Amino acid sequence: MTHPAEDTTDQGPTAPGAHPSRPGSERRSGLTTAEVAERIANGQVNDVPVRSSRSLREIVRANVFTRFNAIIGVMFAIILVVGPLQDGLFGLVIVANTAIGIIQELRAKKTLDGLALIGEVKPQVRRDGTTQQISVGEIVLDDTVLLGIGDKVVVDGLVTEADGLEIDESLLTGEPDPVLKQPGDEVMSGSFVVAGAGSFTATKVGRQAYAAQLAEEASRFTLVKSELRSGIDSILKFITWLLIPTAIGLIVSQLAVEKHDWREAVRRMVAGIVPMVPEGLVLLTSVAFAIGVVRLGRKQCLVQELPAIEGLARVDTVCLDKTGTLTEGGMDLVELRPLTEEGLRPGAPLANHVLADREVLTGALGAMGRADSRPNPSMQAVIDAYGGQGGGQGEGGWRVLEAMPFSSARKWSGVQLLEPQGGEASWLLGAPDVLLPAGHPALAEVDELGAQGLRVLLLGRSPLALDSPDPAAQLEPLALVVLRQRLREDAAGTLAYFESQRVEAKVISGDSAVSVGAVAAHLGLPGADHPLDARTLPTDAEALAETADRTTVFGRVTPQQKRDLVGALQSRGRTVAMTGDGVNDVLALKDADIGVAMGSGSEATRAVAQIVLLDDSFATLPSVVAEGRRVIGNIERVAGLFLVKTVYSVLLALLVVFTHMPYPFLPRHSTVLSSLTIGIPAFFLALAPNNERARTGFVRRVLRLAVPGGVIAGAATFTAYALARANHATELKADTSVATLTLFLVAIWVLAIVARPYTWWRLALIGTMGGAFALVLIVPWLSDFFQLELAGTRDPWTGVAIAVVAGLLLEIVSRVLKRQAQNGG
């Protein structure tokens, strides 16, 4: 990643943020305080709220008014009519689950809103002749907004000052090439500065600005691609269609069976329909996502889209930049190496040997540094070393006549200087392999230094004016500026974590391939000893995908190539996360499956990323990946529990319809069974640690256990119920109790399979659920409340024996599925 105003090839001075194109031009003073107050009173203010989360009304509506709550709500209303109230307990469970969803999402909203406020960048405006930093919402019509490299254009306006100002409008137009802006040109919100500096006058603010029309795209809760959610939706859609004919058949059969007690028929019909709806699954998914957001928020990680947490679990490739990710932003100038006669172009001797004098070189560098009001780390290292040299703008010193900021298309920056000797020339600072012709003797020296992980810039002098078509055409190379980047302390450990988790890390940088490879190799990244210069990348899509797949380190990568590499990796079936902080990362971040931006990076990168590391800590990424794996792994685990219930409920309903027997349960029995074998355990299992990388095929894997598990549970329950009915056809309470016992034992066995591998708290959870059910059977007022009474010993023990057989069948199915999974089946 590159810092705003910095590309890894860098770089010379950038123009002062508020300076016009020539030093000494008259500055605009901006609006006065009275003019600002007048515009605020007239409502001409940029009052469009930046939403980081859904509103309270939207959260409540989304959690309450669902298709499944509607089904359960109708069933609850029916029970309120026919009674008794304890058969309506399932309605309270829905209320509780809905409340949990609302509360957790409100907690996530509070964290998201707070983190979004922390991460909000405040633009600079000129008012009353001074520069002020204000929030985006405080900008008024006709404000003079200052722009520098990496700044986002937050409202629409007209350029008033431009010093090599280049605007990237790719997010608006799709055109990747930056547009050079002159005074009078239009700028639109949503674009961002990639080179130069300047200012513009706000002409459209609030809901008139272009940014207001992008509200849907900017929404923090826009759903990214989510196999988990689409899979659950597919399952629920199928269940809904299955529910309708089954419910009709159940109603008809129960009315036929209970001819003299329509209330009992209705109660048992409700008891058959309610368990078919996996009402807790969607809510639990939302809760798990929301809790993941809160957990990551505490680690200074802003998740802007909830399903992005799922995407993290599926990531198998992480694309990193060197600068700001593997290395710290700070740099040190370790050597200024003048080029000797032998280090110049063959047959092109030095025009003026005096220029190679160290004092002249440091003076020129000092002047270039002083011309830069927004130095990036490379220029800051030059300023720290030589900022006090070269004199001032007065007589006998170096005078800056014009400045050309860095552009990723040029790979260099420069200033036009009036030299102390009276001459005038353009001094350029940039990438040696761009400024020097191929085969130049100095390039071997550059490669040697780059192999040591050092950054090398070329300082040269050209007689051509800075605004000529190609100022570097007659460049006279004078010296190499050698810089050293500081490696992040946590970089090596983080790369080792990714390797241990089978997540492949690839370094994609704008710096030279040799230099990037040296840094990556020093950190122990596999494959770093074979870096590739992106200028040699093939243009054919298939060849590019092959190269991207086998290569670990890329250098000299342009912004468009970063995007192409991400697309090439995705074409090979990879799930790609891209980290970035510079404006040259925006295109790749937008196309990646998961975009991760640094908090101190450009505002434009944060606008398109799903995740923002507010503390700029690369070491946070393992926690982010682990959280994603925990969420999706556990949702897949508990989804099996919910769908086993759906399958056995549908099977029991069909068997009852065809045999014309009373439905074996009342709604209160379904409530206690669902709570103890699914609802409560699922909540705890969904929050447990889980470090397994998510795989595709969510629906298929969940149904592989749910269908046979549900069929076994339903068949065992109906068998025990039918045998009990044969012994005493009139004692429906005893028959129901046997069926409830059998189903509980089979369902708790399913829970025991899903909860593996065992830990002490998982065993305690299973034991607690078993103990709670025993209390329901033993404690008189509880057994009366739930209408459970085991009569005699034969039927209960028959139920237990059937449950054990069913459990053994479940074990066989589980082992077969596990063996198939290990074999990749």
Side-chain angles (χ1 to χ4, degrees):
M1 290 162 290
T2 57
H3 191 276
E6 180 193 6
D7 185 37
T8 49
T9 59
D10 346 293
Q11 214 145 311
T14 54
H19 287 189
S21 59
R22 285 277 180 179
S25 297
E26 182 181 355
R27 297 191 181 199
R28 300 174 184 271
S29 61
L31 297 177
T32 64
T33 302
E35 290 171 332
V36 171
E38 179 185 353
R39 283 160 174 76
I40 293 175
N42 294 334
Q44 297 171 319
V45 63
N46 193 46
D47 60 350
V48 178
V50 177
R51 296 179 56 200
S52 62
S53 59
R54 291 191 285 188
S55 66
L56 174 62
R57 181 179 178 181
E58 289 172 331
I59 291 173
V60 172
R61 185 170 65 233
N63 282 281
V64 173
F65 298 106
T66 66
R67 171 173 45 180
F68 302 101
N69 278 8
I71 295 173
I72 300 300
V74 170
M75 297 296 103
F76 181 67
I78 291 173
I79 291 299
L80 289 180
V81 173
V82 302
L85 191 60
Q86 54 261 46
D87 279 331
L89 286 177
F90 63 87
L92 300 180
V93 173
I94 295 301
V95 172
N97 284 342
T98 304
I100 290 171
I102 292 173
I103 291 170
Q104 291 296 347
E105 195 162 340
L106 286 176
R107 287 181 61 191
K109 171 182 167 61
K110 182 178 179 181
T111 303
L112 282 171
D113 290 347
L115 291 177
L117 185 64
I118 294 171
E120 184 180 359
V121 171
K122 296 187 175 182
Q124 290 185 331
V125 299
R126 197 181 296 137
R127 292 178 179 175
D128 294 318
T130 62
T131 299
Q132 303 177 23
Q133 196 171 44
I134 62 175
S135 68
V136 174
E138 293 174 324
I139 295 176
V140 299
L141 192 68
D142 299 325
D143 248 332
T144 299
V145 184
L146 308 185
L147 293 175
I149 296 179
D151 289 345
K152 185 178 179 181
V153 179
V154 292
V155 294
D156 298 352
L158 295 176
V159 176
T160 53
E161 298 168 296
D163 191 354
L165 183 64
E166 295 184 26
I167 303 289
D168 189 321
E169 299 178 342
S170 60
L171 293 180
L172 308 178
T173 65
E175 175 57 51
D177 296 330
V179 180
L180 182 66
K181 296 290 184 179
Q182 302 292 349
D185 289 346
E186 183 182 19
V187 291
M188 288 196 299
S189 52
S191 58
F192 50 91
V193 182
V194 294
S199 64
F200 71 93
T201 300
T203 58
K204 292 182 181 179
V205 295
R207 285 166 172 79
Q208 292 183 343
Y210 188 78
Q213 302 169 30
L214 302 176
E216 186 175 14
E217 180 180 345
S219 173
R220 305 309 190 211
F221 277 76
T222 300
L223 296 183
V224 297
K225 181 181 178 182
S226 169
E227 185 189 347
L228 187 65
R229 292 204 171 190
S230 61
I232 290 175
D233 286 344
S234 299
I235 292 170
L236 296 181
K237 192 176 297 183
F238 175 76
I239 290 172
T240 302
W241 287 109
L242 189 64
L243 192 71
I244 296 172
T246 307
I248 293 174
L250 200 57
I251 292 171
V252 173
S253 69
Q254 293 307 293
L255 287 174
V257 171
E258 302 286 350
K259 295 178 181 179
H260 304 295
D261 190 350
W262 67 271
R263 291 177 181 271
E264 181 72 10
V266 170
R267 279 196 293 269
R268 293 193 176 264
M269 176 269 295
V270 170
I273 293 175
V274 169
M276 297 182 196
V277 184
E279 74 285 339
L281 184 56
V282 176
L283 288 170
L284 192 62
T285 302
S286 298
V287 169
F289 279 156
I291 293 176
V293 170
V294 173
R295 283 182 172 180
L296 291 175
R298 291 171 182 160
K299 297 180 180 180
Q300 291 298 294
C301 176
L302 170 60
V303 179
Q304 303 198 114
E305 299 182 30
L306 287 183
I309 291 182
E310 176 194 348
L312 293 169
R314 303 190 185 281
V315 165
D316 53 27
T317 306
V318 177
C319 295
L320 312 164
D321 199 343
K322 177 170 69 71
T323 307
T325 304
L326 303 181
T327 59
E328 293 183 3
M331 300 191 71
D332 299 314
L333 195 152
V334 295
E335 185 183 1
L336 176 62
R337 184 177 295 188
L339 292 175
T340 61
E341 194 82 29
E342 292 74 20
L344 301 177
R345 294 190 303 269
L350 227 67
N352 187 345
H353 286 275
V354 177
L355 290 175
D357 182 75
R358 180 173 293 274
E359 184 177 348
V360 175
L361 297 174
T362 58
L365 287 170
M368 297 178 86
R370 285 193 301 278
D372 192 349
S373 64
R374 293 189 176 194
N376 54 57
S378 297
M379 183 53 64
Q380 187 60 52
V382 172
I383 293 173
D384 293 342
Y386 306 123
Q389 301 188 31
Q393 296 283 345
E395 186 177 352
W398 297 76
R399 293 185 58 195
V400 179
L401 301 179
E402 191 166 356
M404 181 175 286
F406 176 81
S407 167
S408 57
R410 292 190 302 267
K411 299 292 185 185
W412 56 261
S413 60
V415 292
Q416 193 164 337
L417 297 174
L418 183 61
E419 301 166 344
Q421 299 87 351
E424 183 176 331
S426 297
W427 289 74
L428 308 183
L429 186 68
D433 53 349
V434 173
L435 293 174
L436 294 175
H440 193 285
L443 290 177
E445 197 172 352
V446 170
D447 290 341
E448 182 182 344
L449 292 167
Q452 302 171 34
L454 299 171
R455 175 180 292 183
V456 184
L457 305 179
L458 177 75
L459 176 66
R461 180 181 183 272
S462 172
L464 301 178
L466 204 57
D467 57 1
S468 63
D470 186 9
Q474 299 181 27
L475 185 73
E476 186 176 3
L478 298 175
L480 298 178
V481 180
V482 184
L483 306 170
R484 177 187 292 122
Q485 295 174 295
R486 288 189 288 271
L487 296 177
R488 286 184 176 269
E489 293 182 359
D490 49 31
T494 306
L495 290 177
Y497 167 82
F498 283 133
E499 185 180 1
S500 69
Q501 297 299 315
R502 303 189 306 281
V503 176
E504 188 172 352
K506 292 181 181 290
V507 183
I508 302 177
S509 175
D511 210 342
S512 72
V514 176
S515 177
V516 178
V519 170
H522 184 74
L523 293 171
L525 182 65
D529 50 346
H530 297 292
L532 179 68
D533 191 315
R535 290 174 296 188
T536 65
L537 281 174
T539 55
D540 176 70
E542 183 59 32
L544 178 63
E546 174 65 27
T547 303
D549 201 37
R550 70 169 186 266
T551 307
T552 302
V553 177
F554 301 85
R556 287 284 176 256
V557 185
T558 65
Q560 183 60 42
Q561 284 178 318
K562 286 189 177 185
R563 184 184 204 174
D564 293 341
L565 285 170
V566 168
L569 290 168
Q570 290 171 327
S571 72
R572 287 300 179 100
R574 291 177 179 254
T575 303
V576 181
M578 175 77 193
T579 65
D581 67 352
V583 293
N584 59 336
D585 298 317
V586 171
L587 296 176
L589 282 172
K590 193 171 182 65
D591 284 0
D593 296 288
I594 297 294
V596 182
M598 294 296 176
S600 66
S602 121
E603 206 278 339
T605 60
R606 298 208 303 268
V608 300
Q610 287 88 21
I611 294 170
V612 181
L613 304 179
L614 290 174
D615 58 359
D616 290 348
S617 176
F618 180 46
T620 306
L621 278 180
S623 298
V624 175
V625 173
E627 187 65 30
R629 292 184 174 185
R630 183 193 65 78
V631 170
I632 189 168
N634 290 332
I635 290 299
E636 184 171 317
R637 181 191 296 270
V638 301
L641 289 176
F642 285 99
L643 296 180
V644 163
K645 181 189 75 168
T646 296
V647 173
Y648 72 60
S649 298
V650 170
L651 178 61
L652 283 173
L654 292 175
L655 290 172
V656 163
V657 168
F658 291 129
T659 58
H660 293 284
M661 295 174 66
Y663 192 78
F665 304 117
L666 290 171
R668 68 194 77 174
H669 303 135
S670 299
T671 299
V672 71
L673 287 168
S674 297
S675 299
L676 296 182
T677 63
I678 299 168
I680 297 173
F683 182 79
F684 287 98
L685 290 175
L687 303 182
N690 192 321
N691 207 33
E692 182 181 355
R693 189 172 79 197
R695 298 164 292 154
T696 57
F698 163 75
V699 173
R700 178 175 56 85
R701 284 195 306 278
V702 169
L703 292 181
R704 284 173 71 179
L705 174 63
V707 172
V711 169
I712 291 171
T717 302
F718 190 79
T719 301
Y721 176 62
L723 290 176
R725 291 281 298 166
N727 290 331
H728 30 72
T730 59
E731 297 181 21
L732 189 55
K733 181 178 179 181
D735 302 339
T736 293
S737 300
V738 171
T740 303
L741 172 65
T742 305
L743 182 54
F744 175 82
L745 292 175
V746 178
I748 206 77
W749 204 310
V750 173
L751 173 62
I753 291 174
V754 169
R756 293 169 184 166
Y758 295 132
T759 59
W760 69 267
W761 68 265
R762 287 177 178 171
L763 291 173
L765 177 65
I766 296 170
T768 301
M769 296 302 100
F773 184 74
L775 288 176
V776 170
L777 293 177
I778 295 171
V779 177
W781 70 268
L782 284 176
S783 59
D784 291 341
F785 182 85
F786 287 104
Q787 283 196 18
L788 290 175
E789 181 181 352
L790 294 173
T793 57
R794 187 180 64 175
D795 290 337
W797 281 109
T798 300
V800 170
I802 292 172
V804 170
V805 173
L808 294 176
L809 289 175
L810 286 171
E811 287 292 342
I812 295 173
V813 170
S814 173
R815 292 177 186 276
V816 170
L817 292 177
K818 184 177 180 180
R819 189 175 300 112
Q820 289 179 351
Q822 291 173 344
N823 295 332

